[in-house]
Amino acid sequence: MSTQLIDLLRCPRCRLPLQRQDGALACENKHIFRCDGPYIVFAHDSEQSKYNQAYANRYAFLWAYGYETSHSGLVESLYRSVGALVADALAEMRKGDPIIIDCGCGTGRSIADAAMLAPSGQFLGVDLSSAKLELAAKILRGTKPVEAILPDYGFGDPLSISGRGLSNVILVQADALQLPFQDSRADLLLSVNLLDRVEDPTLALREARRVLRSGGALILTTPLNWTKASQWNMYPDAKALISVVENCGFSVKTWFDQLLYREILDARGSVEEFATLVISGRAS
Ligand SMILES: C[S@@+](CC[C@H](N)C(=O)[O-])C[C@H]1O[C@@H](n2cnc3c(N)ncnc32)[C@H](O)[C@@H]1O
Ligand SMILES: [Zn+2]
């Protein structure tokens, strides 16, 4: 890990800078974070998390099937929209080596797409799920195809995702509500279908604003598929969420609602549909 990269990080617990210490990073207060595996461990996933190994595998390989193998418009629309907004933001900032954070990166599909648009960028993928990060590391950083069979979903033949061989991707296991990054360094932050999964969506937006430099771009997509009554009250519709985004320090450049994101479920092509809000903004 380069000194430049360590300089971007900070202790998520006490906010102090980090230094290398054997196979770990440590702050002056002796908070120690392992970095000798495929991702830096700043936080741990809860035992009850639904984002376990089986879920991560299913998610990654149905992505490969729906998005890469079958080229089905049923499942591509969200990711193509995100790609177009990333291309716009990069063209506007005209910077050869942008720092791009993907909060809730999952198995890495938005990073895989964005890395084609910004090949010399520095990518930081953040997720809480160790299972998803392990797959993301194999897919994004590895060079070999990653294969699985999902007979329980009707796929007897192996599904394959090509390894991208990206050396400019660092993955961190961390909470989107307490990012392990210094203030005002990132040029672009992606948050693709994360917001309605976190405990405190407003705090996630404030953290996103904190780590973006002024003028940095936010590309946010989320179904408003909240998990708590209080969240349904706070963010009942697109307008309500947009004003929270603005109050957190962003100017909204464009937005559209009700983009149908279809999550592929099985070999027959069954899908689950989410009405998704898409927002592109700049840190004011
Ligand atoms: C619906 S998935 C979307 C994944 C990815 N953005 C994509 O589009 O493929 C939501 C992701 O957010 C992660 N996640 C949930 N809560 C989180 C938190 N507080 N901090 C970081 N990641 C979180 C989950 O582990 C999961 O990978
Ligand atoms: Zn610390």
Side-chain angles (χ1 to χ4, degrees):
M1 205 185 312
S2 69
T3 324
Q4 243 175 343
L5 182 67
I6 296 175
D7 187 49
L8 277 178
L9 304 173
R10 77 175 201 186
C11 174
R13 291 170 62 189
C14 69
R15 306 177 179 183
L16 288 178
L18 295 169
Q19 264 122 36
R20 203 191 299 267
Q21 191 181 89
D22 305 322
L25 294 170
C27 71
E28 267 182 22
N29 285 334
K30 298 194 172 29
H31 299 131
I32 294 173
F33 308 102
R34 296 208 66 105
C35 64
D36 54 353
Y39 49 86
I40 311 174
V41 182
F42 287 108
H44 294 279
D45 36 356
S46 76
E47 303 226 317
Q48 304 82 40
S49 169
K50 71 167 187 167
Y51 299 109
N52 56 20
Q53 195 65 56
Y55 184 89
N57 276 341
R58 172 186 163 271
Y59 203 82
F61 289 99
L62 293 180
W63 152 36
Y65 172 70
Y67 184 61
E68 295 196 325
T69 313
S70 75
H71 296 277
S72 163
L74 269 180
V75 289
E76 289 193 18
S77 55
L78 174 75
Y79 293 96
R80 293 206 179 240
S81 300
V82 170
L85 293 169
V86 169
D88 275 358
L90 291 170
E92 239 176 50
M93 72 180 72
R94 290 195 210 95
K95 198 169 172 218
D97 51 355
I99 296 171
I100 299 176
I101 297 175
D102 185 4
C103 271
C105 64
T107 50
R109 55 182 151 178
S110 297
I111 293 183
D113 288 353
M116 288 195 281
L117 299 167
S120 58
Q122 172 65 63
F123 291 88
L124 298 160
V126 181
D127 206 282
L128 261 185
S129 156
S130 49
K132 286 204 166 189
L133 288 167
E134 262 154 42
L135 263 173
K138 283 189 197 147
I139 295 165
L140 295 172
R141 297 180 56 94
T143 48
K144 291 191 213 128
V146 185
E147 293 203 332
I149 51 167
L150 297 178
D152 295 352
Y153 301 94
F155 295 95
D157 295 332
L159 292 165
S160 176
I161 306 182
S162 55
R164 267 48 177 198
L166 297 167
S167 54
N168 52 344
V169 177
I170 300 290
L171 298 168
V172 305
Q173 186 176 24
D175 191 342
L177 306 182
Q178 202 176 39
L179 292 172
F181 307 130
Q182 298 283 5
D183 294 359
S184 312
R185 300 287 184 90
D187 297 294
L188 169 58
L189 186 140
L190 295 169
S191 174
V192 178
N193 293 4
L194 164 75
L195 208 66
D196 65 352
R197 305 291 105 191
V198 301
E199 280 294 311
D200 184 341
T202 303
L203 183 54
L205 289 166
R206 285 208 204 101
E207 269 297 86
R209 176 62 192 87
R210 179 183 69 75
V211 299
L212 275 169
R213 65 170 170 78
S214 170
L218 168 75
I219 296 169
L220 167 74
T221 79
T222 183
L224 307 186
N225 183 225
W226 311 109
T227 52
K228 294 179 188 154
S230 58
Q231 295 174 336
W232 283 98
N233 289 335
M234 277 184 84
Y235 322 100
D237 54 25
K239 290 260 159 75
L241 186 61
I242 287 166
S243 72
V244 175
V245 169
E246 287 169 341
N247 289 336
C248 288
F250 293 98
S251 61
V252 169
K253 204 171 167 246
T254 187
W255 65 274
F256 47 95
D257 195 9
Q258 301 284 340
L259 176 71
L260 279 188
Y261 167 57
R262 297 179 174 96
E263 188 74 51
I264 187 131
L265 296 176
D266 63 28
R268 237 176 69 74
S270 298
V271 290
E272 192 173 6
E273 286 190 341
F274 297 89
T276 306
L277 170 63
V278 179
I279 299 175
S280 168
R282 298 291 178 268
S284 1

